[in-house]
Amino acid sequence: MKALDSLRIFVATQRKGSLSAAARSLSLSPATISRRISALEEELGVKLVDRTSRNLKVTEAGQAFLERAEVVLEAMAEAQQAALDARQRPEGRLRVHSRTHIGLRVVAPLLPRFAQAYPDIRVEIELSEHPVNLVEQDFDIDIRTGKSADSGFVIKRLLSSDEVLVASPALARAYARLRHPSELPQLRCLTYRREHEQTTWRYIDAAQGGQEQELAIQGVLSANNGELLRLAAIGGMGVALLSEATVRSDLRDGTLVRLLPEYRFAVRGFSNGIFAVFRHSRTLPLKVRAFVDFVADALKNEGA
């Protein structure tokens, strides 16, 4: 285990870029970090890093050692996880990130039942509108409305959910003459803001051979939070294009009304579905598997 600790220290210095940063991440002193690396170099008989007053520069031998050390540490982590999983009892801290709207409207209602089913898992959830790096920010799972292009992650579709055009009952009555998506730019719309991009709504028009059409929408309100848009739509401020899963209860109780249901809609930059993204591992931690499977099953049953 002492040898593994030395590997962890060396890898941490390269990931963090300095002795002080590595020391903070490992709760050790910079002097201790330096001594352990020197001892490792003496044991190996090669120089792993060139030290300067400001940073560390890995040597050619150090780079070769680093690549293999990372493989060893990953294998050890998987072996430890396999030993824990052998007890068949999901437990421990589970860090989950989600887009705010999805977290509040889709994930949050499931948490009491999940806690009852898995009392030994301590769930930490962070909501934001920004993409996260699972590894660097130490998240186990990211709940997204779009797929990840990174082959290093596992992507599981939790729910297929079309984007639906919704408005308050009063506004739906005012727009009773709405017949085609091409009329939407002239209406009061609520749009999701993605940095400085022009909001584009897409729809499929059967009359045009099923081709996808695009609409540039200048909303009376734009926000980077779907829950805010939902509340504004309920208040009658405008028409919103939101994931069906997040407004399902509103449509059921009549708080919101669906417009142009004969058309399929989408927002550029988002996939029509909700996905769980997590790190690839030969031995998936039980706590991750438990959460992903629980949410997927619950959403499937609710939509049935």
Side-chain angles (χ1 to χ4, degrees), residues 31-48:
T32 298
I33 296 287
S34 181
R35 284 197 302 272
R36 293 294 293 271
I37 292 178
S38 295
L40 182 61
E41 289 176 323
E42 184 176 348
E43 181 179 349
L44 295 172
V46 295
K47 192 173 185 62
L48 299 175

Side-chain angles (χ1 to χ4, degrees), residues 16 33 74 86 108 155 166 171 191 195 197 202 206 242-243 247 274 277 281 289 303:
K16 299 297 181 179
I33 296 287
E74 182 180 355
I155 304 167
V166 296
L171 196 60
T191 61
E195 297 179 350
E197 294 182 8
R202 300 178 296 168
L242 299 170
S243 173
V247 295
I274 299 173
V277 181
S281 173
R289 182 185 298 115

